[in-house]
Amino acid sequence: MDKDEVRRIARHFTQKLNQQVFGSSAKRYGKGLKYLVVVEGERTGKNLHLHMAIGDLPSYVKWNEVDDLVRNAKLKVAELDEQHKVDIVDSGWMDYLTKELGMKDTDNVLWDLA
């Protein structure tokens, strides 16, 4: 799997998650969540995988529903496995998300999905 394939999978997932949260308004009106998606593993030789910060959740989505929304969206994307972790972002999490990025090297951030 290469970075372009990972990008396609991430785009498919974000579309499915947007649909879970916003229903038909996601497609009809372009409603969507905010995403910061980072591909990890390219520089370290690990299997490519995604780290994703998701924001701008509408007030009607409760925190305890987010894991189920993510799980349901993932089930609609065949290439994604079951493994995921949903956490509230703390100060250390952003360091974890960006650990393979350099000061002038943000090629692993999927800016087109932000």
Side-chain angles (χ1 to χ4, degrees):
M1 184 175 307
D2 64 15
K3 193 171 172 181
D4 288 332
E5 181 70 5
V6 172
R7 175 180 275 109
R8 186 192 66 72
I9 292 166
R11 181 174 289 116
H12 191 194
F13 170 76
T14 60
Q15 289 169 344
K16 295 302 181 186
L17 186 56
N18 288 339
Q19 187 178 36
Q20 288 279 317
V21 173
F22 296 106
S24 62
S25 292
K27 191 171 186 178
R28 186 177 304 149
Y29 302 113
K31 285 192 168 201
L33 301 169
K34 304 291 184 208
Y35 299 94
L36 177 59
V37 183
V38 177
V39 178
E40 187 174 297
E42 191 172 46
R43 290 183 176 91
T44 58
K46 300 181 210 171
N47 288 333
L48 293 184
H49 59 282
L50 297 168
H51 291 270
M52 188 177 294
I54 303 170
D56 210 20
L57 285 165
S59 60
Y60 58 82
V61 175
K62 305 299 180 232
W63 171 246
N64 63 353
E65 299 171 328
V66 173
D67 192 62
D68 285 338
L69 290 168
V70 168
R71 186 179 319 282
N72 289 338
K74 283 180 62 177
L75 289 173
K76 297 176 184 205
V77 181
E79 298 88 351
L80 290 176
D81 64 17
E82 179 58 27
Q83 184 179 354
H84 73 276
K85 184 178 180 183
V86 175
D87 277 328
I88 294 176
V89 174
D90 61 13
S91 59
W93 195 87
M94 287 305 284
D95 290 336
Y96 180 74
L97 178 73
T98 59
K99 70 180 174 250
E100 286 191 12
L101 301 180
M103 196 67 136
K104 295 182 180 180
D105 180 14
T106 59
D107 291 348
N108 284 0
V109 177
L110 301 183
W111 295 111
D112 55 319
L113 298 180

